């Protein structure tokens, strides 16, 4: 973020979230912006509404004291209230509805001067300020130039009193004066929540943990403030921590009609009711510091806000801030006057950073847990596949025995004869020395080598599948039977050859005896 204090144009990009506490000034009402990360938008100036005469919802519409967008006496700006049609819960709470909850009606009052006199109008006050900074006439000597420099220093700093005439009260310097150097422009999120959604933010002066523990009590207390009607229910949308041990609670009220349908109470109606003096006093007993209506700006209000720079902000800086807006659709420039406002936004930014880091840690933990579950699931899938193969073999053996028992006593059928021929063909292919038999011999040699290496390195163990070992044993058995049969044939042939030799020998001996 970059700041440029003074007369030159500058802007600061800060997009925190939270409440904007109204700034309190003496001669002119200031403005305080809240940064809205999820639709919250603070208020300009101190918002005041006149109190209703009763605390229940059946009372008449409370009158609101409004001012124009730019009040020349209060040096602030805000949207005036507009009447809305009263029906149902809306009419019970009051027909006055603010177009934008964050911009309340500004307090249109001024404090008197230091001598109890009425404060001068804006034009004369600006002239008096210029006189105090340029040509004060208090002592009518060279000390007036020193007093002028002192007044300039106070005006640049944004605090103090500027004496310019011995017969008139001094000018009160605040941070909203045009000559204050400690000013910048930041950006806040434009709220996108509709008034029909009924979201209202409450700032409580308690820690988040305490608010969560007492959340049900808070809901019950708010329900009592709303009259305790059975057709109304208070719901909590969210709770989050704010700087300075404060907590933001977002609520909405649902009204149920006798026919079974339900709707949310508009945010402006709920805000107007809670801003009554007697209701506001009861809210303060619940540690509620401020209420902010979560409502979006209309295009006309947004255009009017952007076209008119806030009081005390240089129009050049305001125009440059609009040009430097990184996302005009979602962000809106807001003034930051003084180091206190800058510190407040910095605390909000740090708070949001902590919340984001907490969310990232939670997501990281969830990802690690999912990875462990994935590894466990993959191992179980492999185990179940092996078990399925074993069960398939067992089922096949059971089917074979069952089929053998079922077909016992029957003649061989044609399809069975074809199956026998196919099995014999497969058996001959398996016994062929150049195909599977050779592979089995190679496998056996590898097994012997592995056993040899296993004897040398006892720590290595190899396991042969039971089905494969049974097939190898069956093949070796067939080989042994073939060798035995071959040996018996050779023996029979040797016996026949010996018999032939004996017969030839006897015939030769007989012929020789006859000739002799």
């Amino acid at each position: 973020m970059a700041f440029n204090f003074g007369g030159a144009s500058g802007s600061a990009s800060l997009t925190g979230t939270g409440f904007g506490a109204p700034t309190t000034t003496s001669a002119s009402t200031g403005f305080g912006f809240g940064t809205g990360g999820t639709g919250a938008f603070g208020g300009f100036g101190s918002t005041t509404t006149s109190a209703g005469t009763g605390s229940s919802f059946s009372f008449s519409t409370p009158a609101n004291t409004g001012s124009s967008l730019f009040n020349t006496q209060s040096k602030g700006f805000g949207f005036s209230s507009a009447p809305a049609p009263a029906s149902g819960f809306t009419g019970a709470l009051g027909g006055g509805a603010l177009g934008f909850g964050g911009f309340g009606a500004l307090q249109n009052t001024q404090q008197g001067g230091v001598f109890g006199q009425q404060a001068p109008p804006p034009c004369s006050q600006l002239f008096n300020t210029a006189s105090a900074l340029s040509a004060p006439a208090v002592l009518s000597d060279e000390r007036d130039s020193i007093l002028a420099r002192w007044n300039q220093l106070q005006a640049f700093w944004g605090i103090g009193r500027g004496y310019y005439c011995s017969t008139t009260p001094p000018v009160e310097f605040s941070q909203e004066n045009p000559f204050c150097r400690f000013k910048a422009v930041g950006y806040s999120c434009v709220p996108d929540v509709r008034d029909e959604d009924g979201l209202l933010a409450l700032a409580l002066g308690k820690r988040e943990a305490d608010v969560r523990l007492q959340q049900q009590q808070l809901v019950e207390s708010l329900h009592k403030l709303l009259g305790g009607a059975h057709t109304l229910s208070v719901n909590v949308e969210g709770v989050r921590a704010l700087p300075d041990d404060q907590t933001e609670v977002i609520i909405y009220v649902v009204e149920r009609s006798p026919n079974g349908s339900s709707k949310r109470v508009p945010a402006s109606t709920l805000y107007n009711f809670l801003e009554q003096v007697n209701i506001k006093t009861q809210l303060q007993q619940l540690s509620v510091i401020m209420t902010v209506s979560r409502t979006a700006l209309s295009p006309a209000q947004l255009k009017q806000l952007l076209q008119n720079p806030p009081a005390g902000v240089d129009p050049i800086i305001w125009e440059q801030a609009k040009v430097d807006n990184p996302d005009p659709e979602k962000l809106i420039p807001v003034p930051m006057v003084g180091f206190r406002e800058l510190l407040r936004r910095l605390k909000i930014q740090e708070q949001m950073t902590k919340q984001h880091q907490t969310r990232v840690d939670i997501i990281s933990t969830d990802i690690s847990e999912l990875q462990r579950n994935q590894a466990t699931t993959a191992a179980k899938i492999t185990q179940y596949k092996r078990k399925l193969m074993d069960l398939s073999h067992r089922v096949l053996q059971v089917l074979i025995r069952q089929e053998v028992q079922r077909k016992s006593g029957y003649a061989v059928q044609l399809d069975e004869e074809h199956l026998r021929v196919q099995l014999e063909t497969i058996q001959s292919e398996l016994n062929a020395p150049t195909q599977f038999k050779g592979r089995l011999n190679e496998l056996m040699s590898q097994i012997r080598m592995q056993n040899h290496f296993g004897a040398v390195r006892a720590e290595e163990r190899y396991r042969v599948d039971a089905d494969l070992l049974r097939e190898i044993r069956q093949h070796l058995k067939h080989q042994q039977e073939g060798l035995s049969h071959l040996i018996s044939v050779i023996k029979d042939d040797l016996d026949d050859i010996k018999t032939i030799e004996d017969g030839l020998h006897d015939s030769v001996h007989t012929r020789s005896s006859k000739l002799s």
Side-chain angles (χ1 to χ4, degrees), residues 285-307:
Q285 297 177 359
L286 299 177
S287 302
V288 177
I289 302 174
M290 181 178 56
T291 58
V292 177
S293 177
R294 290 290 185 90
T295 51
L297 286 169
S298 64
Q301 292 173 340
L302 186 61
K303 181 179 180 181
Q304 189 176 13
L305 176 64
L306 294 177
Q307 287 181 350

Side-chain angles (χ1 to χ4, degrees), residues 32-48:
F33 271 85
T35 57
T38 57
F41 201 82
F44 291 88
S46 56
T47 59
T48 60

Side-chain angles (χ1 to χ4, degrees), residues 43 51 98 136 144 183 282 287 304 310 315 333 343-344 388 391 399 417 426 466:
L98 292 176
D144 287 341
K183 295 179 181 179
Q282 300 180 35
S287 302
Q304 189 176 13
L343 178 61
R344 186 188 66 83
L388 177 62
L391 293 176
L399 291 176
E417 183 66 21
I426 294 174

